[in-house]
Amino acid sequence: MVAKLYLNQNFKPSQQNSFVETQSQKEHKPTNQLKINRLLLLMQSVFQQLFALNEHAIQSDVKQDQLQQYMMQLINTTKHIDLKSNNYFNRLTHQIMHHDDKLDDLSSLTKQIIKEENQINNQLETLMAMQNEAINKINGVDLQLNKSSQLQIEMDEHIKEIEDLQRIFLDEQEQVNDTIKTYYNQVIEHMNKMIESNQTSQIYLLQKLNPGTPLTTVTVNGDSISVRLFVHMNHDTNLVTFVDAERQLLIADARDINAIQLKAVS
């Protein structure tokens, strides 16, 4: 008969104890010695199992120490990671706060830009209104210019007509002047002849002359004197005033004047 004793399922088969009951042992009734041997055998097996258990415990302690060391390394690594994470989180928090400040500044700048943009839009609207008003005025000015152009054409036609009339008038005036000069010279020539022929008429002629009448000569008591203008005759005293060739006053008695010669118009 074979019997096996397992104290722990983790033990190896080599660490288990087994015994075989022989035929001789079956034939004899158990004695005290046999019981003792069996007990010793069982004790030996127990000691073997305890030894194996102790060895397993030692190996377990070594593994536990290794596990503790690994755990310590893991804890240290975790602490190091936590420290780095805290540092990174602090830097990230600082950067986020810095970015928040920049965002606040950017928000303020954006508000300012929006405000300035609104002002620019208002100015643009005002400029557009002014531009529309200017366009309307320009259109009105264009209309006025068109009217002015038409008026200018009409004025040019009138000016041309006036120039033609002026040309005709100047031609006629020149003809009239020639006629007047001819008639005046004829009158002067006739008056000079009358003066020479009739002394009595001298006084009458001097009385009729206008101040400023141009003369050439005046004959006083037979002496011919160069004069320029007739100035005046006093009807009470019969004194006649002339301007001579030297631009001096010449006074003579009308009764002593034999003749006067009028200056012909050139």
Side-chain angles (χ1 to χ4, degrees):
M1 178 179 179
V2 179
K4 290 184 179 181
L5 177 63
Y6 295 94
L7 296 179
N8 194 310
Q9 61 179 354
N10 293 323
F11 292 161
K12 298 178 181 179
S14 62
Q15 296 173 344
Q16 311 300 326
N17 184 43
S18 63
F19 62 93
V20 178
E21 185 178 3
T22 62
Q23 187 65 32
S24 59
Q25 290 174 345
K26 292 180 180 179
E27 294 176 352
H28 299 286
K29 294 182 179 179
T31 59
N32 291 331
Q33 184 63 38
L34 183 59
K35 292 180 178 179
I36 291 171
N37 290 334
R38 290 181 177 177
L39 182 60
L40 289 174
L41 183 60
L42 290 173
M43 289 180 63
Q44 184 180 2
S45 176
V46 169
F47 279 120
Q48 289 178 355
Q49 299 295 334
L50 289 175
F51 180 77
L53 183 62
N54 185 33
E55 184 179 359
H56 180 72
I58 291 172
Q59 292 179 357
S60 298
D61 290 338
V62 172
K63 290 182 179 181
Q64 186 175 4
D65 291 337
Q66 291 177 354
L67 182 61
Q68 288 180 352
Q69 290 178 359
Y70 178 74
M71 290 294 293
M72 290 300 295
Q73 291 178 358
L74 185 60
I75 291 171
N76 291 331
T77 303
T78 304
K79 289 182 180 180
H80 186 66
I81 292 173
D82 289 337
L83 181 61
K84 287 186 176 181
S85 298
N86 289 330
N87 293 332
Y88 178 76
F89 180 75
N90 290 331
R91 289 197 300 271
L92 184 61
T93 302
H94 181 70
Q95 290 178 358
I96 290 173
M97 293 176 65
H98 184 65
H99 286 300
D100 289 338
D101 294 336
K102 287 186 176 180
L103 286 175
D104 292 336
D105 296 337
L106 183 60
S107 178
S108 299
L109 182 60
T110 303
K111 291 180 180 179
Q112 183 66 25
I113 291 173
I114 292 173
K115 183 178 179 180
E116 293 179 355
E117 184 178 1
N118 292 329
Q119 292 178 355
I120 292 173
N121 290 330
N122 293 330
Q123 292 178 357
L124 286 175
E125 290 178 356
T126 303
L127 289 175
M128 288 295 292
M130 294 175 65
Q131 183 179 5
N132 293 330
E133 184 178 358
I135 290 172
N136 293 329
K137 288 183 179 180
I138 290 172
N139 293 330
V141 170
D142 290 337
L143 182 61
Q144 293 294 328
L145 286 175
N146 293 330
K147 293 182 179 179
S148 298
S149 299
Q150 186 64 31
L151 291 174
Q152 184 66 34
I153 294 172
E154 294 178 358
M155 287 180 64
D156 292 338
E157 293 178 354
H158 288 303
I159 290 172
K160 186 177 180 180
E161 292 177 357
I162 291 172
E163 288 177 352
D164 294 337
L165 291 174
Q166 286 180 347
R167 192 177 300 109
I168 295 171
F169 176 75
L170 290 175
D171 293 339
E172 292 180 354
Q173 186 177 11
E174 185 176 358
Q175 294 177 1
V176 170
N177 289 335
D178 292 338
T179 303
I180 292 173
K181 288 180 182 178
T182 302
Y183 179 74
Y184 184 74
N185 290 330
Q186 291 177 356
V187 171
I188 290 175
E189 184 179 359
H190 180 68
M191 289 180 65
N192 288 330
K193 290 180 179 179
M194 288 178 62
I195 292 170
E196 291 177 356
S197 62
N198 191 357
Q199 179 67 31
T200 307
S201 62
Q202 288 291 337
I203 296 175
Y204 178 78
L205 178 61
L206 290 172
Q207 291 176 351
K208 298 298 181 180
L209 286 178
N210 293 323
T213 300
L215 304 174
T216 57
T217 58
V218 60
T219 303
V220 180
N221 293 327
D223 295 329
S224 180
I225 302 172
S226 298
V227 294
R228 295 173 61 87
L229 298 173
F230 168 76
V231 178
H232 176 67
M233 177 180 176
N234 192 328
H235 298 285
D236 295 332
T237 61
N238 288 329
L239 294 178
V240 183
T241 304
F242 302 93
V243 175
D244 62 8
E246 297 178 357
R247 300 181 183 276
Q248 294 181 356
L249 294 178
L250 174 65
I251 300 174
D253 193 337
R255 291 169 293 185
D256 296 333
I257 295 174
N258 305 120
I260 60 174
Q261 186 175 3
L262 300 175
K263 184 177 181 181
V265 178
S266 60

